[in-house]
Amino acid sequence: MSVPATPTEEYRVLGPLTVVLAGRSVPVTAPKQRIILASLLLRAGSWVTASELANALWDDRAPMDPRSALQVHLTRLRARFATVHPERPDLIETRPGAYRIVVPPGSLDLDRYRDAIAQARSARRAGSADVELAWLQRALAQWRGDPLALVPSARIQREVVTALVDERLRWMERRFELALATGRHAQVVDELRAATLAHPERGRLWGHLMDALAETGDRAAAIAAYHQAHRRLRDELDATPDTELRRRYRRLIAETGRSRGNAVIPTAGLGGWRAQCQLPPDIADFVGRADVSRELCTTLGSGDTPVVCLTGVPGVGKSALAVRVAHRLRARFRDGQWYVCAGDGRTWPDILAEMLTTSGVEQPPTGTTAAVSLLRRRLTGRRLLVTIDDAPEGDPPHGLLPLPAGCAVLAVRRGDPPALDCDVAHVVTLDVLSPTEAAALVTDMVGQARVSRTPAALEALVERCDRLPLALRIAGAHLVTHPARDIGEFAELLGADPLGTLSLPGSRRAAVRTAFELAYSALPTAVRRLFRFLELVPGFVHRVETIAELTGMSPASAAATVADLVRARLAELGPDGAIRLHSLVARFAAERGLDEDPAADRRAALVRLGTSLLNVADEAVRLCHPDVVRVGAGTGQATFGSHRAARTWLQRERRNLVAVAVHAASAGLTPLAVGLTDALRGPCGADRHHADWRIAAEAAVAATDPLREPTYAAVARLNLGLALQGLNDLGAAEIHLRQACDQLRRRGPAELEVVAVTALAMHRLQQPTKRFDDAIGLLHRGLRQCRQLGLRHAQARCLLYLGMAHHARGELRLAYRQFSAAARIGERAGDYSAQAEILARLGGVCGELGAHREAVRRLRAALRLGRWARSAHSVALASYGLARIRRAEGRPDRAHAHVARAIAFAEAGAYLAVLVNARNLLAGLYRDEGLTGPAEVEYRRALGEAERIGHPGARCEALTGLALLAHGHGRDQQIPVMARQAAVAARAAGSPRLLSQVRELLATLQPASSRR
């Protein structure tokens, strides 16, 4: 059956699977549909049975009802074609048990390829080499890469693709043979170099390359090609050149009058110099690196620095940049631009031999000293640039570098170059692309129109690729071959499995994982082990001291091993001493750890690391947070020389403590997980890092069994309740705090029961409708327990909270007594952080009692202690109290200064209750000064924040202030509504003082309102 040819209809299988219908590309993204389409196109015009399609789809692992599943996929494929080309409803035909696709003649690249091959065979039989060559060129031009790329059928790849690739290579070899036979030697040299690089196992390609080079007069390069073939076959395939290739080599040696046994080549009779550009093609869509490129060009072109070493993390684009720079410098190096690919285990002697043959030496000397001396004589007086890609480890032969004056070397290395001495080499470390450069690279590949639809998705993709050029190019290639795929969807795939996603089917080297493996496999055993252990705990930021604990090394050995890893550019050492991995490198390290390290070793390392951290954290918490009641904390060796050093350590290691606690919980190390979580109670509670604390506490709760480990379960729940309380999630907090309190009352320890009781009391005071009686009862119970147990810090905390409860109820004398008692205990205990808050609240009560002098004294002391302890909460609280005193004294300038400081510190520390009170006070100051506009703005800000955080007292004050402003502007009709709302808020706050203020306001304003 035939159909009319349509120029707008095309099908391609010799490369990525592509369909063009009605002039439009039809993306077939579903994997099963791609397999069906590929199977039909491979036998276009012929019937393909349902069982054959099922084998291609499932490879002998078919579902229970393969025919129904096959029919579903076929129906969807037909529907996709019909939406684009409704005029061809019969594109896929059906008969019982079989299917076929009907395509116009000449529309399938596989048909065009086979037709051209048939014509080439006819020309060969007729003895017309030129005609045969033309048809072979036309046939091979149909190929656009690996056939059926991204068609995920093991059977098709195994049975069809392998045969197609082998067939293509045979015809490629025949084409080169014809080109050489017809005198086209120079035209195919570059193509043959590329072909041997891609297919080193094909001996005929190496033979053709040697013939082409020899016929162009470059016998030295032809001999070098043989040596290169010998090395690659040995290193990559554990093979040797075949008989034909060895025969060609012997013929070349004989033609030059040399024997294979020569050891040293005399200077006389050397081949003449021929300027050569061996550089690979420059990348057309190269993006960014302008500054680094300019630096390299300037350094190499000046002649002052004859050796430049380019290094960086694997996949960062070192080789591409080196080739680009070398191309830019061609005019400055008139005698040639050599390119040495030194990978695949090649050594410095190999590189030296290749450079000698390129220079015209037909058989390099066997002695290194003689070889170096000969090369230097050959290069003297030349202007030559040598680019060495993937320069090997170890020192180069003595005297090789730097090359003679006028020559320069650009060496690309995976790691920092101990071999290329700093006195000789200028080292340039290549970083990842900037966000703008990375986005531009992807945009150039996939098109501006596509990325402009989802800019946020592009940003996510760029970051998940670590802005690594190799990863970005692979991601771009995936998107190009899947034009219908959403960028956001692909970014999500990257988030789930970045290393698995960042690879191209059929090409092991086009994979980020491969780039990392090459660098990783070159590391010594101890360095590889350290690299794997770095990601034992996801998210942990290591330093040398934690490396020693993690690996069991001595600190000196750990430091040396870290230095080796940093030199290999798989890790970075920051100025703060932190060891960091790029996220993709970290994923690779985690993979290698799971694959190579026994579970017992990983568990033992986690225990060592976690135990060490817990011991140091216990000491730091004792120094910085003595008011935090803890049980069973270790008393190890002193680590910190000062309170400040301990505080700095806690701030720096907070996230590490969370990470290890979570990982320990997942590993079933319950005591360690709970201990680390409880250590966080000090720094996270004081510095309001409740979200981090919650993560650790939730993991600890999930890991504990209340029946088998009741104490650990209670401590974990206590921490979770406290963290939720700090996040103002009062409902969930109460559940956990009640359970913890009950368990601790039954089983102890009694010291932590005090913590739970105190937390429950504060919960009653935090609720939108205050429950003062419950809170005061719980606090008196906690106070009795503190006295019985001798917990002075906890006793001061209970007295502080009692004072706060009485203060909020307007019982100022009782509040004064409780605060004063707390201050006396705090002064004896020497807890400056807690003492600062106690004095600030005591000063506030003194001010309300009219004892301004004592109030100022207490508040200034609180301010001083708060600054010393770096307690933003105490500084904000004391500043707010001083501002109230100065306002009452009629000193608005001083009041403004204090309230501004209160707002600044409250905002910085997210102390919302202090912040909303300070805003009300600022609004009152503006109202006193007649600035009604700013006053109303601040009152309304305070009102909104008070409603959001559930602060009825502040809400009442804001509404009262707004009512006064409304009265001043003649908007008396608003006053009754505001006054009623203020009264409701005052009752919710449980404050008789506030309720009295509202009533006085109504009594003052209603007569004026009624007169109007």
Side-chain angles (χ1 to χ4, degrees):
M1 180 177 181
S2 65
V3 296
T6 308
T8 57
E9 189 169 335
E10 186 169 2
Y11 306 85
R12 302 170 188 157
V13 296
L14 300 179
L17 181 62
T18 306
V19 176
V20 177
L21 296 177
R24 293 170 53 191
S25 177
V26 182
V28 180
T29 56
K32 294 292 189 291
Q33 294 176 31
R34 294 176 71 82
I35 295 172
I36 292 171
L37 178 60
S39 301
L40 295 174
L41 287 174
L42 287 169
R43 294 168 59 184
S46 301
W47 293 100
V48 182
T49 66
S51 62
E52 289 173 321
L53 289 176
N55 287 335
L57 282 167
W58 296 292
D59 197 19
D60 299 328
R61 292 188 297 274
M64 293 294 294
D65 188 0
R67 288 184 178 273
S68 297
L70 174 63
Q71 190 61 46
V72 169
H73 295 305
L74 275 163
T75 302
R76 292 173 179 170
L77 183 60
R78 282 196 181 105
R80 180 173 288 277
F81 289 157
T83 58
V84 178
H85 203 4
E87 296 82 5
R88 290 285 311 279
D90 58 343
L91 188 60
I92 298 178
E93 297 180 347
T94 306
R95 76 179 187 187
Y99 306 87
R100 73 175 176 182
I101 190 167
V102 181
V103 301
S107 63
L108 176 63
D109 60 356
L110 181 60
D111 288 345
R112 296 195 297 269
Y113 164 74
R114 286 173 172 161
D115 289 347
I117 291 296
Q119 294 290 342
R121 285 194 175 106
S122 298
R124 184 176 186 177
R125 287 193 295 270
S128 178
D130 287 330
V131 175
E132 182 185 357
L133 177 61
W135 279 112
L136 285 178
Q137 288 173 333
R138 184 177 299 183
L140 294 171
Q142 300 301 319
W143 288 73
R144 297 168 295 108
D146 295 334
L148 297 172
L150 304 181
V151 174
S153 168
R155 178 160 293 203
I156 289 177
Q157 297 292 328
R158 182 174 63 246
E159 297 179 358
V160 179
V161 170
T162 302
L164 278 173
V165 170
D166 189 62
E167 179 185 340
R168 177 201 182 196
L169 288 172
R170 290 198 305 273
W171 288 114
M172 182 190 299
E173 291 167 348
R174 174 61 180 167
R175 177 194 159 234
F176 286 131
E177 181 182 341
L178 289 170
L180 296 176
T182 54
R184 297 174 171 87
H185 306 93
Q187 293 94 317
V188 297
V189 166
D190 289 341
E191 290 184 66
L192 279 165
R193 286 189 187 278
T196 54
L197 187 66
H199 305 285
E201 76 284 357
R202 307 291 290 197
R204 288 188 67 190
L205 290 176
W206 287 108
H208 291 328
L209 176 59
M210 292 169 65
D211 289 346
L213 289 168
E215 290 300 324
T216 59
D218 195 352
R219 285 190 173 86
I223 293 172
Y226 174 82
H227 289 303
Q228 185 180 6
H230 190 285
R231 283 191 298 270
R232 294 199 65 182
L233 288 168
R234 179 196 64 202
D235 296 341
E236 298 181 25
L237 303 173
D238 196 22
T240 57
D242 58 28
T243 303
E244 177 60 25
L245 205 58
R246 292 198 299 272
R247 185 188 63 76
R248 277 187 169 92
Y249 173 68
R250 286 195 297 269
R251 187 188 68 210
L252 282 170
I253 294 297
E255 287 174 354
T256 57
R258 303 286 188 265
S259 69
R260 192 173 182 182
N262 292 136
V264 179
I265 303 295
T267 305
L270 290 173
W273 184 272
R274 186 171 69 89
Q276 302 177 59
C277 178
Q278 300 176 336
L279 299 173
D282 193 7
I283 296 177
D285 58 349
F286 192 93
V287 172
R289 308 294 194 199
D291 292 341
V292 181
S293 180
R294 189 160 45 248
E295 177 188 354
L296 291 171
C297 287
T298 301
T299 305
L300 288 165
S302 66
D304 296 332
T305 307
V307 180
V308 174
C309 181
L310 187 60
T311 183
V313 66
V316 80
K318 302 182 290 294
S319 299
L321 178 60
V323 169
R324 185 171 188 80
V325 168
H327 274 287
R328 289 188 174 187
L329 291 170
R330 286 183 63 179
R332 300 190 189 184
F333 295 94
R334 63 180 182 275
D335 291 316
Q337 306 84 39
W338 296 355
Y339 180 81
V340 180
C341 184
D344 299 321
R346 299 186 68 193
T347 62
W348 279 108
D350 294 333
I351 294 171
L352 175 59
E354 181 173 336
M355 291 170 69
L356 277 167
T357 54
T358 305
S359 73
V361 178
E362 295 165 354
Q363 185 173 351
T366 55
T368 301
T369 303
V372 169
S373 177
L374 178 58
L375 179 65
R376 296 189 69 82
R377 291 199 301 274
R378 295 288 290 168
L379 300 185
T380 298
R382 303 289 183 188
R383 291 283 294 166
L384 176 71
L385 174 64
V386 181
T387 301
I388 305 176
D389 196 1
D390 202 4
E393 296 293 327
D395 294 326
H398 179 70
L400 176 62
L401 299 178
L403 297 177
C407 300
V409 173
L410 174 56
V412 176
R413 286 179 54 94
R414 294 175 187 157
D416 289 345
L420 304 177
D421 294 336
C422 295
D423 294 337
V424 174
H426 174 68
V427 180
V428 176
T429 301
L430 202 58
D431 200 357
V432 297
L433 294 173
S434 69
T436 302
E437 291 172 337
L441 175 56
V442 179
T443 302
D444 285 353
M445 295 184 71
V446 306
Q448 180 64 48
R450 189 171 176 188
V451 301
S452 61
R453 294 194 295 268
T454 53
L458 175 63
E459 183 179 343
L461 182 145
V462 161
E463 290 306 315
R464 286 174 181 170
C465 287
D466 264 354
R467 292 183 271 129
L468 205 61
L470 175 62
L472 292 165
R473 287 196 176 277
I474 293 173
H478 274 290
L479 292 171
V480 168
T481 55
H482 295 79
R485 172 172 281 174
D486 180 68
I487 295 177
E489 172 191 338
F490 187 73
E492 290 180 8
L493 286 176
L494 283 176
D497 180 20
L499 295 179
T501 305
L502 290 172
S503 62
L504 295 179
S507 176
R508 183 177 179 272
R509 288 191 176 271
V512 171
R513 184 185 278 112
T514 300
F516 294 160
E517 283 173 350
L518 290 171
Y520 171 75
S521 60
L523 297 174
T525 301
V527 183
R528 288 203 303 270
R529 178 173 179 263
L530 167 60
F531 176 69
R532 298 192 300 269
F533 273 12
L534 285 177
E535 282 303 304
L536 175 66
V537 179
F540 193 98
V541 178
H542 284 282
R543 287 172 174 76
V544 170
E545 56 267 26
T546 59
I547 292 295
E549 295 294 343
L550 181 70
T551 59
M553 296 178 176
S554 68
S557 297
T561 309
V562 167
D564 289 341
L565 187 60
V566 171
R567 276 196 294 270
R569 288 293 161 190
L570 284 173
E572 295 177 354
L573 187 63
D576 58 350
I579 302 163
R580 294 182 174 87
L581 307 181
H582 289 284
S583 64
L584 291 175
V585 178
R587 288 272 193 153
F588 177 74
E591 277 188 3
R592 298 272 32 92
L594 290 172
D595 288 346
E596 298 183 34
D597 295 320
D601 288 357
R602 293 167 59 81
R603 186 181 180 89
L606 177 59
V607 170
R608 285 195 302 270
L609 176 63
T611 303
S612 171
L613 272 179
L614 182 56
N615 290 336
V616 179
D618 285 341
E619 182 193 350
V621 171
R622 280 197 305 274
L623 285 171
C624 298
H625 307 283
D627 59 320
V628 173
V629 177
R630 299 190 64 222
V631 177
T635 57
Q637 182 178 352
T639 303
F640 303 106
S642 67
H643 173 280
R644 178 167 294 184
R647 181 177 179 82
T648 300
W649 187 90
L650 284 172
Q651 291 173 338
R652 190 187 72 192
E653 298 295 331
R654 183 187 76 252
R655 292 188 183 276
N656 280 345
L657 291 168
V658 172
V660 177
V662 171
H663 201 62
S666 67
L669 299 171
T670 303
L672 183 58
V674 174
L676 289 165
T677 301
D678 198 48
L680 289 166
R681 188 151 45 94
C684 288
D687 297 334
R688 300 188 65 76
H689 296 296
H690 296 100
D692 288 344
W693 189 8
R694 174 183 182 173
I695 292 170
E698 285 179 336
V701 168
T704 53
D705 184 344
L707 295 178
R708 292 188 301 172
E709 305 164 313
T711 301
Y712 288 129
V715 175
R717 285 202 179 276
L718 172 62
N719 278 274
L720 181 54
L722 290 168
L724 291 168
Q725 190 175 32
L727 293 167
N728 212 35
D729 188 353
L730 300 180
E734 183 176 17
I735 295 172
H736 292 290
L737 289 173
R738 277 187 172 278
Q739 291 180 359
C741 192
D742 291 343
Q743 290 172 329
L744 291 167
R745 186 174 61 250
R746 290 196 302 270
R747 296 181 177 272
E751 292 88 346
L752 291 183
E753 183 190 353
V754 172
V755 178
V757 168
T758 308
L760 280 172
M762 278 305 295
H763 177 271
R764 305 298 189 262
L765 299 177
Q766 283 179 292
Q767 291 177 324
T769 301
K770 310 302 179 188
R771 295 162 60 184
F772 290 111
D773 291 339
D774 286 353
I776 290 171
L778 286 168
L779 288 169
H780 278 294
R781 169 184 159 189
L783 196 56
R784 288 192 298 273
Q785 290 175 309
C786 288
R787 288 167 178 157
Q788 291 170 1
L789 297 169
L791 301 174
R792 290 189 302 163
H793 292 291
Q795 185 179 352
R797 181 67 61 181
C798 284
L799 289 167
L800 171 64
Y801 292 163
L802 275 169
M804 290 167 62
H806 290 302
H807 186 194
R809 271 213 306 205
E811 299 165 350
L812 300 182
R813 293 291 178 187
L814 277 173
Y816 178 83
R817 284 201 295 271
Q818 304 292 2
F819 286 143
S820 297
R824 287 191 295 273
I825 295 173
E827 185 174 4
R828 289 195 299 269
D831 181 4
Y832 298 130
S833 179
Q835 185 73 345
E837 181 180 357
I838 293 168
L839 291 176
R841 295 193 181 278
L842 178 57
V845 170
C846 290
E848 291 183 40
L849 289 170
H852 287 187
R853 181 172 296 179
E854 182 182 358
V856 170
R857 178 169 59 84
R858 300 287 193 181
L859 291 167
R860 283 177 173 171
L863 192 59
R864 184 173 62 255
L865 288 175
R867 284 171 169 161
W868 185 90
R870 297 185 181 181
S871 171
H873 179 255
S874 296
V875 171
L877 198 60
S879 299
Y880 168 70
L882 286 167
R884 292 190 64 184
I885 296 294
R886 298 314 182 196
R887 181 191 182 195
E889 293 174 346
R891 301 167 69 179
D893 291 344
R894 301 292 299 277
H896 271 290
H898 290 306
V899 80
R901 184 171 58 244
I903 289 174
F905 275 85
E907 283 183 331
Y911 296 108
L912 302 181
V914 182
L915 178 62
V916 70
N917 289 336
R919 290 203 186 285
N920 272 326
L921 180 55
L922 179 60
L925 286 168
Y926 284 142
R927 183 166 58 82
D928 295 345
E929 297 164 345
L931 301 173
T932 56
E936 184 168 358
V937 169
E938 290 300 329
Y939 275 135
R940 292 200 178 279
R941 289 181 71 181
L943 180 61
E945 291 173 1
E947 290 174 345
R948 182 169 60 85
I949 67 173
H951 192 332
R955 185 169 184 268
C956 176
E957 288 199 20
L959 287 166
T960 302
L962 288 169
L964 289 169
L965 290 175
H967 175 64
H969 285 89
R971 301 194 303 266
D972 289 349
Q973 69 276 9
Q974 300 176 5
I975 294 173
V977 175
M978 292 180 179
R980 282 196 297 272
Q981 292 175 346
V984 170
R987 281 192 287 271
S991 174
R993 176 180 60 84
L994 288 175
L995 194 57
S996 175
Q997 288 178 357
V998 173
R999 288 170 180 161
E1000 290 175 7
L1001 172 69
L1002 284 173
T1004 303
L1005 299 181
Q1006 280 180 342
S1009 176
S1010 62
R1011 286 195 299 271
R1012 292 181 182 177

